[in-house]
Amino acid sequence: MKHLLLVVTIAILLLNYSPATAQVTITQQPSSVTTSLGATVSFTVGATSTNTMSFQWQKGGANISGASNSSLSITNVHFPDCGNYSVVVSNGSTNAVSTNASLNITLYEPYWVTTLAGKSSSIGGYKDGTNSAALFSDPDSIAVDPAGNLFVVEFTLGTLRKVTPAGTDWVVTTIAGRGTNGVTFNSPNGVAVDNAGNVFVLDFNSAGRITELSPNGANWTVTTLATNVNGGSGLGGLAIDSADTLYFPGQGRRTIRKLEFSGSDWVASDIAGMPGVIGSSDGTNTDARFNLCDRIAVDAHGTIYVGDYGNQTIRVIRKDDTNYVVTTLAGVAGSSGWCDGPGATARFSSPEAIAVDGVGNVYVGDAHLRKITPDGFVTTLAGNRNGVSDGLGSSAGYGAIYGAAVDANGYVYFTDSGNNTIRRAQPVTIAFNTPTVVATNSSMAFQFGVTMLSNLSYRVQFSTNLITWASLTNFTATNPPFVFTDVGYSNNPARFYRVVTP
């Protein structure tokens, strides 16, 4: 009987035994790719398992038909390909999902970036002075007046600084805060200037106070316009229209607000969004939804532009009679990245700084300096985060762009809060002077002058069909205009010429 019980016990143990489930281990995650239009890109995953594995690639969480290998290749990359890619690896028993790898498509419209004032440092300081002799600490919003003077608020120091052009120099002075002109700010993070040169400051932590500073000779007359404009929430950014109505995001309130003079008082009110409700939907007045908005701009027609960095989108607010209609200009709610192109295919990474020029181009600071045309087409102008260098396009680096402003020439000024400096990005323009045919010792020559931005390298190229181009010479513009002479003009077929940046 004892032996029989033993046999039965062993049989029961054998019946209850099951082998361990085979696992899938991802050993190599797919890597993000930044490329240009028309390129071919690949994503690859590495994985191990004791069982046979299968692969299913996804874009934005949706399966890609036929994408069932360990590598995914995309040819002739175009704007709709932009987005996040991942892969599900299965062995029939268990699945493993890779991390997201982003496909970023960039279209550079290179701007030349220079440092105007401040000394690059992650620590910062406080000192008035000229160019790099001046010191800033956490420069936040920035505004430019019609004369080209810049106004900068420093969130941590509680100051309003003026940066004045003087020839090729930039002179920094403190005009308010830290007791200057009898003003004490707490944490100012919004500044705007009207056409008359009056400066308006939004103080984040002083009960939502808006202060006006009017030039009075060498001094400034200070007036408190309103307090408690925050509506019970944090605030960020400030803009002013031609009628002197001020606009600002009710950051934690999830609304866009305005301050306007009515009767004998300044009155603050919401114009779009539902107080306390987070969302991303477009709509009119309280039907619209916002997430987190920190900067704002207004164009000459009264159209309002907002960087909704909580949604990764750029929003537009247009007034229609007494209503405010909200639409999305570029980006997709909840989808971050670095993709240029048409509005709905473009991607942003926490867009914050925002400015608009006289023809409706919008400038945005996120992980790069971006430009959006009035019809919503996005390009990259400059910059790579985690750098300090001046330069052209992608060679320029910066720490973090918190504020932006644009002048009548299309020059973009921005606060580099990561490096505690004030920077400028300007378009590289090339203009041809009237070409002439001149005589040389042995033949006729074709000669033309070129006017361009100094201290940049350029390349002269020619083509006989406007399709293929060959280089003739490289030069650095030290004293424009540069005069180029094609000595072999008379012995060659008709030529077209162009000058490009290398």
Side-chain angles (χ1 to χ4, degrees):
M1 181 62 66
K2 291 180 180 180
H3 292 293
L4 180 59
L5 288 173
L6 179 60
V7 171
V8 171
T9 301
I10 293 173
I12 292 172
L13 290 173
L14 289 173
L15 288 172
N16 288 336
Y17 170 77
S18 61
T21 301
Q23 300 295 312
V24 175
T25 302
I26 293 181
T27 58
Q28 176 188 334
Q29 299 286 356
S31 299
S32 295
V33 177
T34 298
T35 189
S36 55
L37 290 174
T40 296
V41 300
S42 295
F43 296 102
T44 300
V45 68
T48 60
S49 177
T50 56
N51 292 353
T52 301
M53 294 180 294
S54 63
F55 302 87
Q56 177 58 64
W57 286 89
Q58 299 180 332
K59 179 176 183 282
N63 289 346
I64 303 172
S65 177
S68 55
N69 297 317
S70 59
S71 292
L72 171 67
S73 181
I74 304 172
T75 60
N76 192 25
V77 166
H78 207 60
F79 298 122
D81 297 316
C82 183
N84 291 323
Y85 291 80
S86 61
V87 60
V88 180
V89 185
S90 176
N91 64 5
S93 300
T94 60
N95 297 333
V97 182
S98 74
T99 57
N100 282 328
S102 60
L103 173 53
N104 302 314
I105 301 173
T106 60
L107 294 173
Y108 261 102
E109 181 185 344
Y111 273 43
W112 178 249
V113 177
T114 54
T115 300
L116 304 181
K119 184 176 181 179
S120 295
S121 168
S122 60
I123 301 173
Y126 172 64
K127 182 181 179 182
D128 288 341
T130 301
N131 304 335
S132 60
L135 298 179
F136 293 88
S137 182
D138 197 17
D140 204 293
S141 290
I142 186 171
V144 58
D145 71 11
N149 300 299
L150 308 178
F151 297 89
V152 179
V153 291
E154 293 171 284
F155 186 83
T156 303
L157 289 180
T159 59
L160 171 63
R161 316 283 289 278
K162 183 180 180 182
V163 186
T164 305
T168 59
D169 294 324
W170 293 83
V171 180
V172 179
T173 55
T174 302
I175 63 174
R178 297 171 72 96
T180 303
N181 277 311
V183 180
T184 299
F185 295 120
N186 194 329
S187 301
N189 68 334
V191 62
V193 58
D194 66 15
N195 290 329
N198 301 303
V199 184
F200 303 83
V201 176
L202 175 66
D203 201 347
F204 181 88
N205 282 330
S206 292
R209 183 181 69 197
I210 294 182
T211 302
E212 178 183 3
L213 295 97
S214 301
N216 182 10
N219 298 313
W220 295 81
T221 300
V222 181
T223 306
T224 298
L225 301 186
T227 58
N228 299 313
V229 300
N230 56 2
S233 71
L235 299 166
L238 189 66
I240 189 167
D241 67 13
S242 58
D244 283 345
T245 299
L246 294 157
Y247 300 90
F248 50 95
Q251 199 176 60
R253 188 176 173 84
R254 321 293 177 176
T255 62
I256 305 303
R257 294 172 64 76
K258 71 176 179 180
L259 180 72
E260 62 183 344
F261 194 73
S262 178
S264 58
D265 298 314
W266 288 86
V267 179
S269 61
D270 294 321
I271 62 171
M274 177 66 76
V277 180
I278 297 175
S280 60
S281 58
D282 295 334
T284 301
N285 302 335
T286 56
D287 289 336
R289 297 289 182 270
F290 298 91
N291 194 324
L292 280 173
C293 304
D294 198 27
R295 294 293 181 265
I296 192 168
V298 181
D299 69 16
H301 305 289
T303 302
I304 304 164
Y305 301 85
V306 180
D308 190 345
Y309 73 87
N311 280 323
Q312 312 292 350
T313 55
I314 306 303
R315 315 292 292 279
V316 179
I317 307 172
R318 292 181 173 88
K319 191 173 183 181
D320 182 10
D321 194 16
T322 60
N323 296 312
Y324 291 88
V325 181
V326 180
T327 57
T328 299
L329 178 64
V332 175
S335 183
S336 65
W338 177 23
C339 280
D340 293 330
T345 62
R347 297 292 184 272
F348 297 90
S349 180
S350 299
E352 189 161 352
I354 191 166
V356 59
D357 66 19
V359 295
N361 296 305
V362 180
Y363 303 86
V364 175
D366 62 349
H368 302 81
L369 183 61
R370 318 282 291 278
K371 176 182 175 180
I372 312 172
T373 61
D375 61 356
F377 195 90
V378 181
T379 54
T380 297
L381 304 182
N384 283 293
R385 187 168 284 177
N386 301 320
V388 299
S389 59
D390 292 340
L392 181 67
S394 60
S395 65
Y398 59 84
I401 301 177
Y402 277 9
V406 59
D407 68 12
N409 297 314
Y411 294 178
V412 183
Y413 302 88
F414 61 93
T415 56
D416 185 347
S417 296
N419 292 316
N420 293 300
T421 53
I422 310 303
R423 317 282 294 277
R424 180 178 68 190
Q426 63 188 98
V428 178
T429 56
I430 300 174
F432 286 95
N433 299 339
T434 303
T436 58
V437 175
V438 297
T440 67
N441 292 332
S442 58
S443 64
M444 302 298 289
F446 185 76
Q447 188 178 79
F448 58 86
V450 189
T451 302
M452 72 296 286
L453 192 66
S454 297
N455 302 318
L456 284 185
S457 296
Y458 297 87
R459 180 177 298 150
V460 178
Q461 297 180 326
F462 79 93
S463 173
T464 58
N465 56 13
L466 291 176
I467 298 174
T468 57
W469 293 85
S471 294
L472 288 171
T473 187
N474 294 340
F475 68 95
T476 300
T478 55
N479 186 24
F482 169 81
V483 177
F484 171 76
T485 303
D486 187 356
V487 191
Y489 161 74
S490 58
N491 299 320
N492 286 295
R495 287 181 168 185
F496 300 94
Y497 299 88
R498 71 180 186 183
V499 178
V500 298
T501 54

